[in-house]
Amino acid sequence: MAGNGDTSKRLIDPCCGVGTVLLEGIWAGYDIIG
């Protein structure tokens, strides 16, 4: 993932589709927006 393990950063998925990347990011501890 783009955060390289630094979960203090917010990640953005502009073309989130059905949300697979969003779910993986949330489960990994990221603050992610799609």
Side-chain angles (χ1 to χ4, degrees), residues 3-32:
N4 291 326
D6 183 3
T7 58
S8 67
K9 295 182 179 179
R10 176 175 284 173
L11 302 179
I12 299 172
D13 183 11
C15 301
C16 62
V18 296
T20 304
V21 174
L22 295 174
L23 286 175
E24 290 295 326
I26 289 169
W27 290 334
Y30 289 96
D31 182 14
I32 187 166

